[in-house]
Amino acid sequence: MTMSAGWYLRRLSRMGPQEVGGRVGDAVRRRRWRSARPDCPSVTGARFTAVLPAGTIAAVPLDAAKRLIAEADRLMDGHAEYFGVVRDDLAVPDWWRDPKTGRRAPWGYAFDVPYRNEDAVGDIKQIWELSRHQYLTQLAAAYAITGNERYAERVAEHLRSWWAANPPLRGVHWISGIELGIRLLSWVWIRRLLDGWPGAAGLFEDSPVALNQIWHHQRWLAAFPSRGSSANNHVIAEAAGQFAAACAFGWFPSSARWRAAALRSLERHLRSNTYPSGLNRELATEYHGLVLELGLAAVAEADAAGVPVPASVRLVLLRMTDALAAIVDNRLRPPRQGDADDGHGLIVDGAGTDRWASLLATGDAVFGRLAWWPAVTGTDVRTPLLAALIKPGELAVTRPASRPGHFADAGMTILRGPEEIWCRCDGGPHGFLSIAAHAHADALSVEVRHDGVDVLADPGTYCYHGQPEWRQYFRSTLAHNTLRLDGGDQSVSGGPFLWTRHARSRVLVADTSGEGVARWCAEHDGYQPSAHRRRVELTAATQELRVIDEVHGPRRGVQLAFHLGPAIAADLVDNRAQLTWTRDGEDRSAVLDLPGQLSWRAHRGETDPSPSSSSRGYPMLGWYSPGFGRKEPTTTLVGTGFADGVAGFTTVLRFRG
């Protein structure tokens, strides 16, 4: 995917004068750096002291350790899977090759590499992911647990290979700050987890090559922070990685300055990226998890190095943890809202470890759980490691006395009913900052689960680069459980990470008491001069969810979509769908009564629908993305018709006992 001149003009229009000035300065600096690459200052007597306290590894639960070692053995055999692509080449990786397309990124000055052009580079996410070196933190953790030096030797072999293949400012791995930041964080933990290995010092502090890489990574991050309309989760990763490195690898003349600047950036942007309620302002749940992981890892480095951290940093992380505990369903699954790219801040666990349970377990260890928090029964490796470094302390803050159901600043409302019915209602802002990069056109959408099973599902994200039609579809209004007018999206997209007009929503009613009937009502202005208003009612006694859509304004064409989860089988007859699925070996069912004023059709795994299809501009319907780069067929029910004046459309979902 290459960006047109029109895209650049639209992107420029979303920037303020200060951001434009900063980006001009960045461009000048990139030109100067092309021919002026200073050497790393000499370092003598460097020692790594940010080690784990004695007894930390012994506190790792046995089942979590077994999962990690199994994963490490798969990695040692060269096997892994990233974004739906199975790899068998990790024993001797090619750092520049995309395994999906077979293309290799071109060599040259980093800022000349056209990384958005898949024809020239390949899938950049596939290339970048391996070089975050999070699989090496897994191998290093396996060494720390087992003492088996073959894991440590493989880590050393791969790091030396990467450093040789990727000299500073050369090639695709020196383009994006988030990649450099996460890579630095990985290196810090690799050095910590290998501390008992005799070769650890020779791999890091006694190696001129390693010192040169660490110094140039930090110099890059100090020079090119994400700015203005791009200061989202990327700037958190940049600041966290630089801060961690400046704490743990504080061996350079600039280390104190880098550490102070990174901490200021981290504190500022953690606050600006987080609502007072604790939810992440991008309104993309996976980025809530990423930012929380990065923040906890940064605080761990500060405490390990004895660097004071403002209380506001810990307070934001506490609020984020409480908010996460509040919004998960009974199986500890959070909403599937906004973009998701499977990004993690720190990985030291094996496959099958629950990310969200791990974060809640860490929150319990660091902040203490509240009485209303859901129980966490799973185990992980990361929690005892972080908890061993983070110093406990009291924060002067009043935490929620009961489980919140409505987050007014974020516009998120969770309705809960009997039999583990969970319903998320979206009445919040379109996204974060002027471009709302990771937002979807999902105003007033609902997401419904029964005992953790997606019934009315958010289809997910699937891709970022390289497949613009799929990117456009998965973030469109039609790809969400909401209403579309005249075949258009509520918000206007200017590109894959750019929205030029944002629908404005407001919540009118949010009663989440859960006694009798829980109610929610909101409206948005994305279809001017018409207005879309939606009411949702969850009745406990009847296990019934009622959705009433109203369109106020002139006659408009209507499409109302409901996306079923991949586990749901649907039998649609006229405007009634019989839904069936299995959970833990038990058959479950529900009835979905759809508005009779609309003509209903079921879609499943479509890529080239007939002209009579209701997709109206999208050549795909009936898809669910369980993770980045992966999609599977599911059933989407789309009703078409017209709204004239004040039109009401009522949908009723009844769960059977």
Side-chain angles (χ1 to χ4, degrees):
M1 181 188 303
T2 55
M3 301 304 182
S4 65
W7 179 87
Y8 284 103
L9 289 173
R10 292 190 295 273
R11 184 67 182 84
L12 182 64
S13 72
R14 308 303 293 176
M15 301 181 193
Q18 185 174 359
E19 180 180 357
V20 172
R23 289 179 182 270
V24 170
D26 290 346
V28 171
R29 192 174 298 109
R30 290 186 184 109
R31 289 181 62 87
R32 188 169 70 247
W33 281 24
R34 179 189 295 272
S35 56
R37 190 178 67 187
D39 293 327
C40 168
S42 60
V43 174
T44 57
R47 290 294 177 263
F48 184 84
T49 58
V51 298
L52 289 169
T56 298
I57 297 300
V60 173
L62 180 59
D63 57 337
K66 287 181 176 179
R67 288 195 304 271
L68 169 63
I69 294 166
E71 183 73 16
D73 288 342
R74 283 192 290 271
L75 292 168
M76 290 293 291
D77 290 337
H79 305 307
E81 180 179 335
Y82 296 112
F83 312 136
V85 176
V86 176
R87 301 188 62 161
D88 298 310
D89 60 341
L90 262 65
V92 185
D94 182 338
W95 304 109
W96 292 37
R97 181 179 179 274
D98 164 29
K100 189 173 79 174
T101 65
R103 299 187 182 96
R104 295 190 82 248
W107 174 259
Y109 182 55
F111 298 115
D112 290 342
V113 176
Y115 70 96
R116 291 190 179 99
N117 186 344
E118 187 168 306
D119 291 337
V121 175
D123 186 331
I124 192 62
K125 287 280 291 179
Q126 288 286 346
I127 297 173
W128 278 345
E129 187 67 18
L130 194 64
S131 289
R132 290 186 172 189
H133 289 168
Q134 293 175 323
Y135 78 100
L136 295 181
T137 59
Q138 292 172 300
L139 291 177
Y143 164 76
I145 289 173
T146 66
N148 191 326
E149 294 193 358
R150 71 189 187 104
Y151 298 121
E153 290 163 356
R154 176 63 60 83
V155 171
E157 176 188 339
H158 281 203
L159 282 179
R160 291 182 176 123
S161 167
W162 194 93
W163 290 333
N166 296 277
L169 296 177
R170 293 296 180 267
V172 74
H173 296 301
W174 289 88
I175 295 172
S176 174
I178 188 174
E179 304 305 317
L180 276 74
I182 290 177
R183 192 155 53 238
L184 277 177
L185 188 59
S186 294
W187 292 354
V188 168
W189 274 91
I190 289 168
R191 175 60 185 87
R192 174 175 291 125
L193 292 164
L194 293 185
D195 191 63
W197 180 53
L203 180 62
F204 281 94
E205 56 264 34
D206 294 339
S207 166
V209 174
L211 293 173
N212 187 54
Q213 285 278 349
I214 294 168
W215 185 81
H216 273 285
H217 271 67
Q218 294 187 81
R219 176 176 179 258
W220 193 109
L221 289 170
F224 301 112
S226 293
R227 301 180 183 276
S229 56
S230 294
N232 52 16
N233 64 87
H234 283 231
V235 76
I236 304 291
E238 294 159 9
Q242 175 135 43
F243 180 71
C247 286
F249 302 147
W251 308 318
F252 307 102
S254 297
S255 290
R257 174 170 56 85
W258 286 338
R259 183 168 56 244
L263 182 56
R264 286 194 301 271
S265 176
L266 184 68
E267 193 273 340
R268 172 190 168 197
H269 290 292
L270 273 176
R271 284 189 292 107
S272 64
N273 274 252
T274 309
Y275 285 111
S277 67
L279 290 180
N280 183 266
R281 286 184 184 268
E282 291 197 76
L283 298 175
T285 310
E286 280 213 1
Y287 289 114
H288 183 108
L290 173 64
V291 168
L292 182 53
E293 288 171 351
L294 292 167
L296 289 168
V299 169
E301 294 308 326
D303 288 355
V307 176
V309 171
S312 57
V313 171
R314 298 179 196 267
L315 180 57
V316 170
L317 300 176
L318 169 60
R319 292 203 316 265
M320 292 183 72
T321 306
D322 279 341
L324 176 62
I327 63 176
V328 295
D329 65 22
N330 68 305
R331 300 282 181 144
L332 302 186
R333 292 183 61 215
R336 285 168 52 90
Q337 183 180 23
D339 271 350
D341 71 347
D342 296 357
H344 292 256
L346 173 65
I347 301 178
V348 288
D349 277 285
T353 302
D354 188 314
R355 175 186 197 172
W356 310 104
S358 170
L359 279 170
L360 291 177
T362 303
D364 184 1
V366 173
F367 303 119
R369 74 187 309 275
L370 295 173
W372 54 262
W373 274 29
V376 175
T377 56
T379 62
D380 69 311
V381 174
R382 188 176 61 189
T383 288
L385 303 186
L386 288 174
L389 297 177
I390 298 176
K391 303 294 189 292
E394 293 293 329
L395 292 173
V397 60
T398 301
R399 298 171 68 184
S402 58
R403 191 175 201 171
H406 177 56
F407 297 81
D409 47 12
M412 181 187 292
T413 305
I414 307 293
L415 306 180
R416 298 177 187 272
E419 300 297 322
E420 312 302 346
I421 300 172
W422 176 97
C423 174
R424 173 181 65 88
C425 304
D426 183 353
H430 175 62
F432 183 48
L433 302 172
S434 62
I435 63 172
H438 291 297
H440 290 187
D442 56 358
L444 309 196
S445 64
V446 295
E447 185 183 1
V448 181
R449 298 179 192 153
H450 187 278
D451 197 15
V453 174
D454 290 311
V455 178
L456 301 182
D458 184 303
T461 299
Y462 179 52
C463 66
Y464 281 171
H465 301 284
Q467 301 178 77
E469 296 85 4
W470 286 105
R471 174 64 171 155
Q472 183 182 7
Y473 169 70
F474 271 96
R475 63 206 288 259
S476 72
T477 298
L478 188 62
H480 296 84
N481 298 316
T482 189
L483 182 144
R484 186 165 79 148
L485 295 183
D486 291 343
D489 286 339
Q490 310 149 336
S491 296
V492 177
S493 172
F497 296 98
L498 171 63
W499 295 91
T500 56
R501 183 175 61 77
H502 303 180
R504 293 175 299 178
S505 303
R506 63 172 183 151
V507 176
L508 305 174
V509 176
D511 179 2
T512 63
S513 62
E515 297 180 6
V517 181
R519 292 182 173 88
W520 174 86
C521 180
E523 63 184 11
H524 75 83
D525 67 354
Y527 293 127
Q528 294 182 1
S530 299
H532 175 206
R533 178 176 293 183
R534 168 170 278 186
R535 289 183 287 129
V536 178
E537 300 173 351
L538 177 57
T539 304
T542 59
Q543 301 183 43
E544 176 182 288
L545 185 79
R546 184 176 295 265
V547 180
I548 303 99
D549 289 293
E550 297 176 357
V551 178
H552 299 257
R555 180 179 172 87
R556 307 284 292 270
V558 168
Q559 290 172 289
L560 181 58
F562 290 106
H563 302 265
L564 307 182
I568 308 299
D571 181 14
L572 176 66
V573 178
D574 297 327
N575 65 316
R576 169 168 286 194
Q578 302 283 348
L579 312 181
T580 55
W581 66 97
T582 301
R583 178 57 149 169
D584 297 334
E586 180 183 343
D587 292 336
R588 311 282 180 93
S589 65
V591 175
L592 184 62
D593 283 321
L594 301 158
Q597 309 100 302
L598 303 178
S599 175
W600 289 91
R601 180 181 171 191
H603 304 259
R604 186 174 182 85
E606 295 181 355
T607 56
D608 186 20
S610 67
S612 62
S613 167
S614 60
S615 62
R616 291 287 299 277
Y618 292 105
M620 60 286 287
L621 270 175
W623 294 96
Y624 177 95
S625 175
F628 195 84
R630 294 176 288 142
K631 67 181 188 300
E632 58 186 277
T634 191
T635 300
T636 295
L637 306 174
V638 178
T640 59
F642 292 92
D644 197 354
V646 179
F649 304 97
T650 299
T651 303
V652 181
L653 176 62
R654 297 182 182 88
F655 293 96
R656 292 172 174 168

